[in-house]
Amino acid sequence: MGKPSKKKLCKLCKLKGLRKESVIYMKEHRLALCEEHFKEWFEKRVKETIKEFRMFKPNEKILVAVSGGKDSQTLWYVLNRLGYDADAFFIHLGIGDYSDESMEKVIELGKLLGKKPYIVKLEEDIGAGIPVLQNFVRGTACSVCGRIKRYQFNKIANDLGYNVVATGHNLDDESSSLLANLINWNLKYLARKYPVLPAEKGFPKKVKPLVKMTEEQIKLYAQLNNIPFTERSCPLGDTASLHFYKDVMNLIENHALGTKYRFYFEYLKKVYPIFSSLKEELIEGELQKCKICGQPSPSEICMVCRLKEKVKQQKEGS
Ligand code: AMP
Ligand code: FES
Ligand code: ZN
Ligand code: ZN
């Protein structure tokens, strides 16, 4: 993937006998495109991904999980642009200015699209945000945050009657996390690593329509369309390892163009079916309905309901 080159002309314009400067040169596709043709190319590729993986049908109601960052904001925008009926929800994690600014970007985009996002605030729903909740459980802030987010994705979709939840994961996310999970032989994760996970056991269908798009392409598409997004990253997140694997993938990509794409999509074709057939054995623990909230849970009372109880006890005690 290269920087926009001043010298390169749009390949599609050239075919029509026009000389137009490109805004991006995608080395792995040997393709330089102008603004108009890049936007078209991007939208077509997202549409093809949705069709190829049978993510959803044109008239299906979709719920996009938006974080205020470039990927999920672009996803919400592009799905609407492609004519899909896509609504969005945002989880305010209670992480100070970071959560407030992210929420503002989500609301701003909602106004542009003429849609009101659903917003859940952990401080109202559970009684506290991630900075407090992380003290009640073992593991890092990120791991408890990830579990709470997954719970909220499922609950909100179930409560609001959406069968499909879409997230903004991109090719860089997916190829680098595949690498990290292969290196660590994290089989449980590998058995579920696919751009579409069907609805099952009380969970809605989960889809990742941006899996073919790189971070650079998404950021440029967002900028060209004036999509509001925050560039801030979470102050609690320990992202060192995540960045490390992204850097490694970029290093390999620069050595052999197209590796990111091949690594991930050949995995899906050749290896995923093997792990997936072992899913039941690899993902241990039967799920049951939480006795309090009714959401799927590995224990009688789910983690979120236990957290609510702990927060309540702490408030009563103080
Ligand atoms: P992350 O795990 O932070 O890389 O986020 C992965 C995806 O989860 C994003 O692309 C969003 O679709 C979704 N997501 C992350 N944070 C939030 C949030 N606070 N509210 C709703 N969706 C989120
Ligand atoms: Fe979850 Fe930072 S976004 S810990
Ligand atoms: Zn062009
Ligand atoms: Zn519960």
Side-chain angles (χ1 to χ4, degrees):
M1 182 62 54
K3 292 204 165 58
S5 156
K6 285 214 168 95
K7 281 170 240 135
K8 291 229 182 302
L9 295 175
C10 171
K11 193 169 170 181
L12 298 183
C13 282
K14 244 200 270 178
L15 291 175
K16 291 192 223 159
L18 300 169
R19 288 174 63 81
K20 207 161 168 194
E21 232 172 56
S22 62
V23 288
I24 190 166
Y25 175 57
M26 297 176 283
K27 265 199 229 160
E28 71 281 28
H29 305 294
R30 293 173 192 273
L31 188 59
L33 293 176
C34 68
E35 175 168 343
E36 182 196 336
H37 283 125
F38 171 66
K39 285 181 184 169
E40 266 177 37
W41 177 88
F42 187 99
E43 287 159 14
K44 195 165 158 241
R45 200 163 164 82
V46 174
K47 198 168 183 175
E48 280 168 4
T49 311
I50 293 167
K51 278 196 182 156
E52 182 182 334
F53 290 97
R54 298 193 183 148
M55 293 185 172
F56 38 80
K57 299 193 195 83
N59 52 358
E60 220 165 332
K61 262 173 59 174
I62 305 140
L63 192 59
V64 184
V66 284
S67 67
K70 66 178 186 329
D71 303 307
S72 48
Q73 295 280 93
T74 293
L75 178 60
W76 189 19
Y77 177 93
V78 76
L79 290 182
N80 276 286
R81 170 130 185 100
L82 288 170
Y84 291 103
D85 184 6
D87 295 318
F89 77 92
F90 170 76
I91 307 163
H92 187 293
L93 300 162
I95 309 177
D97 291 354
Y98 167 70
S99 292
D100 292 339
E101 190 187 313
S102 307
M103 186 172 73
E104 276 165 28
K105 299 293 175 189
V106 170
I107 294 172
E108 205 180 323
L109 177 56
K111 283 190 184 140
L112 286 175
L113 297 173
K115 296 214 158 189
K116 204 165 174 231
Y118 301 103
I119 293 178
V120 171
K121 292 188 176 176
L122 295 192
E123 278 158 354
E124 289 166 10
D125 190 56
I126 305 186
I130 299 295
V132 172
L133 297 175
Q134 66 168 321
N135 300 317
F136 291 125
V137 276
R138 264 183 288 139
T140 60
C142 272
S143 70
V144 59
C145 174
R147 287 167 71 190
I148 292 175
K149 276 185 199 162
R150 275 194 297 280
Y151 171 92
Q152 295 289 356
F153 289 179
N154 296 325
K155 184 162 188 312
I156 295 166
N158 286 339
D159 287 354
L160 299 173
Y162 290 84
N163 296 326
V164 187
V165 172
T167 54
H169 295 92
N170 60 44
L171 181 59
D172 293 81
D173 296 328
E174 295 305 279
S175 60
S176 58
S177 61
L178 173 60
L179 179 66
N181 283 290
L182 277 175
I183 284 182
N184 293 299
W185 290 117
N186 188 351
L187 298 184
K188 260 197 268 183
Y189 175 88
L190 294 168
R192 293 178 54 78
K193 180 128 198 79
Y194 205 72
V196 178
L197 292 175
E200 57 179 0
K201 297 177 186 162
F203 294 114
K205 189 175 187 181
K206 306 255 176 57
V207 299
K208 300 174 181 174
L210 298 185
V211 275
K212 289 196 179 182
M213 319 312 291
T214 64
E215 273 181 1
E216 188 190 8
Q217 292 158 4
I218 293 170
K219 191 167 177 187
L220 180 62
Y221 182 86
Q223 287 165 340
L224 295 174
N225 286 289
N226 296 316
I227 299 172
F229 66 88
T230 174
E231 297 217 51
R232 281 172 71 158
S233 48
C234 170
L236 301 179
D238 175 16
T239 51
S241 150
L242 216 79
H243 284 136
F244 171 74
Y245 285 106
K246 280 193 178 168
D247 289 347
V248 172
M249 275 317 298
N250 282 331
L251 202 69
I252 308 176
E253 176 74 25
N254 287 336
H255 172 75
L257 292 178
T259 301
K260 255 182 226 175
Y261 185 90
R262 272 196 311 279
F263 177 56
Y264 180 62
F265 285 93
E266 292 296 294
Y267 170 83
L268 295 184
K269 220 168 27 186
K270 297 175 179 162
V271 188
Y272 175 77
I274 304 171
F275 286 130
S276 172
S277 64
L278 301 171
K279 199 153 66 187
E280 297 301 321
E281 289 150 61
L282 292 173
I283 301 171
E284 80 262 354
E286 275 295 304
L287 291 178
Q288 43 188 308
K289 272 192 173 185
C290 166
K291 282 202 163 146
I292 298 174
C293 69
Q295 290 301 301
S297 160
S299 49
E300 263 190 8
I301 312 281
C302 77
M303 185 193 68
V304 168
C305 288
R306 273 185 278 140
L307 279 173
K308 278 185 189 172
E309 193 50 39
K310 282 184 185 164
V311 173
K312 205 170 121 202
Q313 279 170 5
Q314 199 192 42
K315 281 187 181 162
E316 282 167 0
S318 63

